[in-house]
Amino acid sequence: MDELFRQVWTFLADPTAQRDEFDASDALIWVDWGDEDESVLSYLNDVLPEEAQIDYEYVDSEAERGFDILLKKDGEAHAIPYAADSADRDTTLKAAQDYLAPVYGIRWYMGSLGSDTLAFVVLSTSQWGKLEQEFGAEQVAYYFSWIHADSRMFEMDADAVFDLLEERAEGK
């Protein structure tokens, strides 16, 4: 995880100069809108230390979508709260964020905004705090948006995406 932190730190130190290198770095977890939801959890586990990995199980269910993904923690299993008829990456990522909190935080890399493949970064909460202390919380949030219960990433309306891209271009 320290190497991932270093890559994010290097990017934040000079985002304009480091953008291309950062976009190709191991710090980013690229998720396509069409990826299977259990794949999203696997991508996250690929960067998490073994002791922090998300324990999950894909099970057949009677829901219209035909499956559930159970997140297992502290001897309990909870199904990711998908709609009855389908799963979606937003719900999977929000459930993963809830699972990892408060020790780790998943943030959406805003440099991927507007694509059908979005990038995310997982660091420990203390590492995110160090970045905010050094570069300012506003700058870190400009490039890396926290995932909250009401976050819309893949499910964001096209008009909202274009508005946000325009705001970012204007430096707001």
Side-chain angles (χ1 to χ4, degrees):
M1 190 65 85
D2 291 329
E3 175 61 19
L4 301 180
F5 174 79
R6 186 195 62 74
Q7 291 174 10
V8 175
W9 187 95
T10 300
F11 169 74
L12 287 170
D14 191 353
T16 303
Q18 296 297 320
R19 169 89 192 246
D20 290 340
E21 187 174 330
F22 185 69
D23 284 358
S25 77
D26 293 337
L28 296 175
I29 301 165
W30 291 93
V31 177
D32 185 78
W33 71 271
D35 281 342
E36 298 292 332
D37 292 276
E38 63 272 17
S39 295
V40 174
L41 298 173
S42 177
Y43 302 157
L44 294 169
N45 279 345
D46 286 345
V47 300
L48 286 164
E50 190 172 325
E51 67 277 3
Q53 292 194 355
I54 300 167
D55 185 9
Y56 65 94
E57 181 180 2
Y58 180 93
V59 296
D60 292 331
S61 79
E62 295 191 23
E64 289 178 54
R65 68 182 168 279
F67 71 91
D68 279 317
I69 297 177
L70 304 177
L71 299 180
K72 301 174 182 180
K73 190 173 188 179
D74 300 327
E76 296 183 20
H78 299 281
I80 295 177
Y82 296 120
D85 61 343
S86 65
D88 63 272
R89 275 39 59 211
D90 282 8
T91 303
T92 302
L93 286 160
K94 289 185 253 186
Q97 173 58 52
D98 289 345
Y99 183 97
L100 294 170
V103 180
Y104 288 90
I106 305 169
R107 293 202 187 189
W108 175 16
Y109 171 54
M110 299 307 289
S112 65
L113 176 67
S115 176
D116 60 359
T117 303
L118 302 178
F120 301 88
V121 175
V122 179
L123 294 175
S124 71
T125 305
S126 66
Q127 288 173 319
W128 284 118
K130 288 176 188 174
L131 292 169
E132 288 175 342
Q133 285 177 340
E134 183 151 354
F135 298 104
E138 188 174 311
Q139 179 177 343
V140 174
Y142 180 82
Y143 291 104
F144 301 98
S145 179
W146 276 112
I147 296 175
H148 299 286
D150 60 348
S151 294
R152 295 180 61 126
M153 298 157 289
F154 292 96
E155 302 297 320
M156 187 181 285
D157 175 81
D159 290 336
V161 170
F162 290 122
D163 289 347
L164 190 50
L165 285 168
E166 187 175 316
E167 284 177 25
R168 293 176 62 76
E170 294 172 0
K172 293 181 182 177

